Amino acid sequence: MNRSDLTVPPPGTPVPRPHPDAPVGERLGPHYARCFGCGPDHPTGLHLEAVSHDGLGVTAGFTVGDVHQGAPGLAHGGVLATAIDEALGMVVWLLRKPYVTGRLETDYLLPVPVGTTLHIRTRCTGVVGRKAYLEAEARMDAPDGPVAVRGAALFIEVPVSHFTEHGDGVGGMSPEREVNP
């Protein structure tokens, strides 16, 4: 992946330790029921399901449906980028601080046909101040299948009030959990 300097942690950036409350080996619930990425009640959503494997990364998956097409029979690139962004967002949720996507880089390596199950693996590569650096890889039809998409992102920590001022909730975060407001 040809990454910009904006998604590469500065030299010497530490990888954070897992938060003591981060679930490990558990399925992560949705942000809310109608979330396009992970909500089970969104009629055309990705219905992405994720599991934390070590408190700093997740494995997630979704099956590309007819409603996710761009070209006939193939997943829309924006839908694939959304899946990467959603899985990366679950990583920062594990840090137990509210973050938003600041920059997302996506490399498309293979076309992804409708009916394909993507297996996405993400990890946090470092945190400096309010910036969290993350990487993702999506493989087709098996955890060790061919790599179809790679992503890298910079997430920015925001106050919990960001979600109440600009949205309709806090996505599982509460003001009492906020660290470094």
Side-chain angles (χ1 to χ4, degrees), residues 77 80-81 84 105-110 112 118-120 136-140 146-151:
L80 298 176
I84 294 291
E105 298 174 6
T106 310
D107 286 341
Y108 303 95
L109 306 173
L110 295 171
V112 180
L118 280 181
H119 297 263
I120 305 168
E137 186 173 80
R139 294 177 175 266
M140 294 196 311
V147 177
V149 184
R150 285 197 176 105

Side-chain angles (χ1 to χ4, degrees), residues 4-26:
S4 76
D5 291 342
L6 297 173
T7 60
V8 176
T13 297
V15 174
R17 294 184 182 167
H19 190 281
D21 294 334
V24 175
E26 298 177 23

Side-chain angles (χ1 to χ4, degrees), residues 11-155:
T13 297
V15 174
R17 294 184 182 167
H19 190 281
D21 294 334
V24 175
E26 298 177 23
R27 183 169 177 248
L28 303 176
H31 298 108
Y32 65 101
R34 292 193 47 86
C35 173
F36 178 77
C38 62
D41 296 344
H42 194 290
T44 60
L46 304 181
H47 304 156
L48 193 107
E49 294 185 4
V51 174
S52 166
H53 51 84
D54 64 1
L56 290 176
V58 299
T59 55
F62 91 98
T63 300
V64 177
D66 287 336
V67 296
H68 305 132
Q69 291 182 81
L74 296 174
H76 189 287
V79 168
L80 298 176
T82 299
I84 294 291
D85 185 48
E86 183 71 17
L88 291 169
M90 291 181 171
V91 173
V92 292
W93 182 84
L94 293 172
L95 300 176
R96 307 311 249 190
K97 295 180 181 181
Y99 285 86
V100 295
T101 309
R103 181 177 183 88
L104 176 65
E105 298 174 6
T106 310
D107 286 341
Y108 303 95
L109 306 173
L110 295 171
V112 180
V114 169
T116 299
T117 298
L118 280 181
H119 297 263
I120 305 168
R121 187 166 186 89
T122 65
R123 66 186 180 106
C124 179
T125 58
V127 174
V128 176
R130 296 178 47 228
K131 297 178 180 180
Y133 299 88
L134 305 134
E135 295 178 348
E137 186 173 80
R139 294 177 175 266
M140 294 196 311
D141 291 322
D144 62 348
V147 177
V149 184
R150 285 197 176 105
L154 171 66
F155 275 63

